[in-house]
Amino acid sequence: MVEQAQVFDTHYQDYCRQIAGCDLDTAADILGMDVDGGQAVVSFLGQPYRISGEGIFDTFGQKPSYGLCVILAKYVLRCPDKVYHDPQWVAFRDFKREAAMTNVNFFSSDTQAAILKRFQGRLNRLKAAGLALGGKDHDPGAGWDFSMAFDLLPRIRLLLLFNDKDEDFPAQCRVLFEKHAEFYLDPESLAMSGAALAKSLCRSDPEDSYEN
């Protein structure tokens, strides 16, 4: 564990060095973020984080989890040359890159399966948890018991679709991305973002504390 922490810290410091060389003012309009005092201010699932060469911190001055640091750093570092906007909802496996295919199983287990495990038979709790994260009801035009869109990052939304189990069918969960998300984050970070949504929903469950 100590060795793993050292590896994480090395990567984190490398991200910070790269961010220090970024033109945050130029990236601000493309990424839909603010710049304050030389720091990028980026909202992730409704919570603001400050990003600069000095580090990545929440509003309390604490460093978030390593996974979230990676997502936020990559969002800034992978800034495209223009704003891309294709709001078509697609599944993670629809991102036709080799790196996406290698992360399909991780996305399925740590995002969709994790939400199913926690919330099947508990639809009211799922809705309450989603609202606590700033989710908004969304009609996908299909027969789902529950659908809610989340502002993951300024340019990226996720759509959560959920059918509860009944006498004839098991519960079903799908998490979709807007197609243009692939221009803002790499497949690994997109997969990690889905897992972050699942963990955040579990933590926001109004009736149970989150269990790892």
Side-chain angles (χ1 to χ4, degrees), residues 6-211:
Q6 292 174 339
V7 171
F8 287 169
D9 186 63
T10 298
H11 290 315
Y12 174 79
Q13 295 299 331
D14 183 53
Y15 287 137
C16 291
R17 282 191 292 271
Q18 293 181 59
I19 292 169
C22 290
D23 184 345
L24 297 179
D25 291 314
T26 298
D29 289 339
I30 296 174
L31 296 177
M33 64 185 187
D34 295 321
V35 177
D36 177 41
Q39 297 179 318
V41 182
V42 179
S43 178
F44 184 89
L45 287 176
Q47 299 300 314
Y49 295 88
R50 303 181 75 89
I51 305 166
S52 72
E54 299 299 318
I56 302 172
F57 304 100
D58 62 19
T59 54
F60 301 101
Q62 300 298 311
K63 185 167 68 176
S65 69
Y66 175 72
L68 183 49
C69 285
V70 172
I71 295 167
L72 293 170
K74 290 291 187 68
Y75 188 68
V76 172
L77 292 172
R78 288 177 55 86
C79 178
D81 59 350
K82 64 179 182 179
V83 175
Y84 287 88
H85 183 66
D86 183 348
Q88 175 188 359
W89 294 110
V90 299
F92 179 78
R93 65 175 61 250
D94 292 330
F95 295 123
K96 303 297 185 181
R97 298 181 184 178
E98 182 178 348
M101 301 311 296
T102 62
N103 284 280
V104 165
N105 290 337
F106 167 70
F107 178 79
S108 179
S109 64
D110 284 46
T111 300
Q112 296 174 152
I115 294 172
L116 270 179
K117 180 180 179 180
R118 184 54 175 262
F119 291 105
Q120 60 179 327
R122 304 165 179 170
L123 204 57
N124 288 337
R125 284 165 56 176
L126 176 58
K127 183 172 184 178
L131 290 173
L133 292 180
K136 299 177 180 64
D137 290 334
H138 184 90
D139 181 7
W144 293 88
D145 296 332
F146 173 89
S147 58
M148 185 170 282
F150 296 87
D151 292 325
L152 180 77
L153 288 158
R155 299 295 189 207
I156 301 177
R157 291 193 305 159
L158 299 184
L159 179 62
L160 170 60
L161 304 174
F162 196 96
N163 273 337
D164 215 348
K165 59 184 179 182
D166 59 28
E167 294 180 355
D168 299 314
F169 298 99
Q172 183 181 10
C173 174
R174 295 189 70 192
V175 174
L176 306 180
F177 296 82
E178 290 177 310
K179 183 68 170 64
H180 61 245
E182 64 183 340
F183 291 100
Y184 295 97
L185 284 178
D186 60 284
E188 183 179 11
S189 297
L190 289 171
M192 293 168 62
S193 295
L197 172 66
K199 289 181 179 180
S200 295
L201 285 168
C202 291
R203 291 193 180 101
S204 297
D205 185 344
E207 297 190 30
D208 284 331
S209 59
Y210 175 70
E211 297 178 359

